[in-house]
mmCIF file of all heavy atoms in Angstrom:
data_model
loop_
_atom_site.group_PDB
_atom_site.id
_atom_site.type_symbol
_atom_site.label_atom_id
_atom_site.label_comp_id
_atom_site.label_asym_id
_atom_site.label_seq_id
_atom_site.Cartn_x
_atom_site.Cartn_y
_atom_site.Cartn_z
ATOM 1 N N VAL Y 24 -34.108 6.476 -31.905
ATOM 2 C CA VAL Y 24 -34.271 6.472 -30.451
ATOM 3 C C VAL Y 24 -34.985 7.753 -30.041
ATOM 4 O O VAL Y 24 -34.465 8.854 -30.251
ATOM 5 C CB VAL Y 24 -32.904 6.392 -29.735
ATOM 6 C CG1 VAL Y 24 -33.114 6.196 -28.230
ATOM 7 C CG2 VAL Y 24 -32.047 5.278 -30.309
ATOM 8 N N ASP Y 25 -36.186 7.599 -29.496
ATOM 9 C CA ASP Y 25 -36.973 8.757 -29.050
ATOM 10 C C ASP Y 25 -37.977 8.267 -28.025
ATOM 11 O O ASP Y 25 -38.545 7.179 -28.198
ATOM 12 C CB ASP Y 25 -37.693 9.405 -30.258
ATOM 13 C CG ASP Y 25 -38.178 10.825 -29.955
ATOM 14 O OD1 ASP Y 25 -38.801 11.029 -28.885
ATOM 15 O OD2 ASP Y 25 -37.929 11.719 -30.782
ATOM 16 N N ASP Y 26 -38.197 9.050 -26.982
ATOM 17 C CA ASP Y 26 -39.129 8.607 -25.934
ATOM 18 C C ASP Y 26 -40.584 8.898 -26.282
ATOM 19 O O ASP Y 26 -41.479 8.463 -25.578
ATOM 20 C CB ASP Y 26 -38.768 9.261 -24.588
ATOM 21 C CG ASP Y 26 -38.827 10.777 -24.656
ATOM 22 O OD1 ASP Y 26 -38.323 11.339 -25.647
ATOM 23 O OD2 ASP Y 26 -39.383 11.389 -23.730
ATOM 24 N N VAL Y 27 -40.815 9.632 -27.367
ATOM 25 C CA VAL Y 27 -42.199 9.957 -27.745
ATOM 26 C C VAL Y 27 -42.619 9.117 -28.960
ATOM 27 O O VAL Y 27 -42.126 9.345 -30.067
ATOM 28 C CB VAL Y 27 -42.347 11.461 -28.078
ATOM 29 C CG1 VAL Y 27 -43.778 11.783 -28.475
ATOM 30 C CG2 VAL Y 27 -41.918 12.308 -26.879
ATOM 31 N N ASN Y 30 -43.407 10.781 -32.312
ATOM 32 C CA ASN Y 30 -42.251 11.237 -33.103
ATOM 33 C C ASN Y 30 -41.715 10.100 -33.958
ATOM 34 O O ASN Y 30 -41.331 10.291 -35.117
ATOM 35 C CB ASN Y 30 -41.118 11.716 -32.187
ATOM 36 C CG ASN Y 30 -41.466 13.021 -31.488
ATOM 37 O OD1 ASN Y 30 -42.431 13.681 -31.863
ATOM 38 N ND2 ASN Y 30 -40.693 13.353 -30.478
ATOM 39 N N ASP Y 69 -32.755 11.172 -30.211
ATOM 40 C CA ASP Y 69 -33.367 12.280 -29.481
ATOM 41 C C ASP Y 69 -32.446 12.638 -28.307
ATOM 42 O O ASP Y 69 -31.698 11.793 -27.829
ATOM 43 C CB ASP Y 69 -34.745 11.809 -28.973
ATOM 44 C CG ASP Y 69 -35.493 12.877 -28.216
ATOM 45 O OD1 ASP Y 69 -35.290 14.072 -28.514
ATOM 46 O OD2 ASP Y 69 -36.289 12.512 -27.324
ATOM 47 N N ILE Y 70 -32.501 13.904 -27.858
ATOM 48 C CA ILE Y 70 -31.648 14.259 -26.705
ATOM 49 C C ILE Y 70 -32.411 14.182 -25.390
ATOM 50 O O ILE Y 70 -31.968 13.527 -24.447
ATOM 51 C CB ILE Y 70 -31.047 15.669 -26.892
ATOM 52 C CG1 ILE Y 70 -30.024 15.636 -28.040
ATOM 53 C CG2 ILE Y 70 -30.345 16.119 -25.599
ATOM 54 C CD1 ILE Y 70 -29.353 16.956 -28.313
ATOM 55 N N MET Y 71 -33.564 14.824 -25.343
ATOM 56 C CA MET Y 71 -34.290 14.848 -24.073
ATOM 57 C C MET Y 71 -35.125 13.592 -23.893
ATOM 58 O O MET Y 71 -36.157 13.408 -24.552
ATOM 59 C CB MET Y 71 -35.165 16.090 -24.013
ATOM 60 C CG MET Y 71 -34.357 17.362 -23.783
ATOM 61 S SD MET Y 71 -35.379 18.830 -23.654
ATOM 62 C CE MET Y 71 -35.806 19.134 -25.363
ATOM 63 N N MET Y 72 -34.644 12.735 -23.023
ATOM 64 C CA MET Y 72 -35.358 11.495 -22.712
ATOM 65 C C MET Y 72 -35.199 11.237 -21.220
ATOM 66 O O MET Y 72 -34.159 11.569 -20.649
ATOM 67 C CB MET Y 72 -34.756 10.302 -23.479
ATOM 68 C CG MET Y 72 -34.913 10.387 -24.992
ATOM 69 S SD MET Y 72 -34.241 8.932 -25.823
ATOM 70 C CE MET Y 72 -32.475 9.224 -25.686
ATOM 71 N N PRO Y 73 -36.220 10.640 -20.583
ATOM 72 C CA PRO Y 73 -36.052 10.274 -19.176
ATOM 73 C C PRO Y 73 -34.980 9.187 -19.056
ATOM 74 O O PRO Y 73 -34.746 8.451 -20.014
ATOM 75 C CB PRO Y 73 -37.426 9.744 -18.763
ATOM 76 C CG PRO Y 73 -38.166 9.489 -20.029
ATOM 77 C CD PRO Y 73 -37.520 10.277 -21.126
ATOM 78 N N LEU Y 98 -31.412 14.492 -33.120
ATOM 79 C CA LEU Y 98 -32.674 14.948 -33.683
ATOM 80 C C LEU Y 98 -33.419 15.549 -32.509
ATOM 81 O O LEU Y 98 -33.919 14.818 -31.658
ATOM 82 C CB LEU Y 98 -33.420 13.713 -34.205
ATOM 83 C CG LEU Y 98 -34.393 13.858 -35.341
ATOM 84 C CD1 LEU Y 98 -33.719 14.445 -36.557
ATOM 85 C CD2 LEU Y 98 -34.968 12.497 -35.670
ATOM 86 N N THR Y 99 -33.449 16.879 -32.417
ATOM 87 C CA THR Y 99 -33.926 17.424 -31.150
ATOM 88 C C THR Y 99 -34.505 18.817 -31.270
ATOM 89 O O THR Y 99 -34.192 19.568 -32.189
ATOM 90 C CB THR Y 99 -32.768 17.445 -30.140
ATOM 91 O OG1 THR Y 99 -33.230 18.037 -28.937
ATOM 92 C CG2 THR Y 99 -31.595 18.225 -30.676
ATOM 93 N N ALA Y 100 -35.358 19.125 -30.294
ATOM 94 C CA ALA Y 100 -35.947 20.469 -30.230
ATOM 95 C C ALA Y 100 -34.939 21.470 -29.679
ATOM 96 O O ALA Y 100 -35.110 22.671 -29.822
ATOM 97 C CB ALA Y 100 -37.192 20.436 -29.362
ATOM 98 N N LYS Y 121 -35.865 19.811 -34.470
ATOM 99 C CA LYS Y 121 -37.300 19.598 -34.598
ATOM 100 C C LYS Y 121 -37.975 20.967 -34.449
ATOM 101 O O LYS Y 121 -37.538 21.744 -33.590
ATOM 102 C CB LYS Y 121 -37.816 18.692 -33.484
ATOM 103 C CG LYS Y 121 -37.291 17.276 -33.486
ATOM 104 C CD LYS Y 121 -37.867 16.571 -32.260
ATOM 105 C CE LYS Y 121 -37.192 15.246 -31.998
ATOM 106 N NZ LYS Y 121 -37.585 14.646 -30.721
HETATM 107 MG MG1 MG P 1 -37.591 13.389 -26.024
#
Side-chain angles (χ1 to χ4, degrees):
V24 188
D25 197 312
D26 60 316
V27 180
N30 290 347
D69 181 29
I70 291 181
M71 286 182 283
M72 295 182 285
L98 208 58
T99 177
K121 295 177 192 171

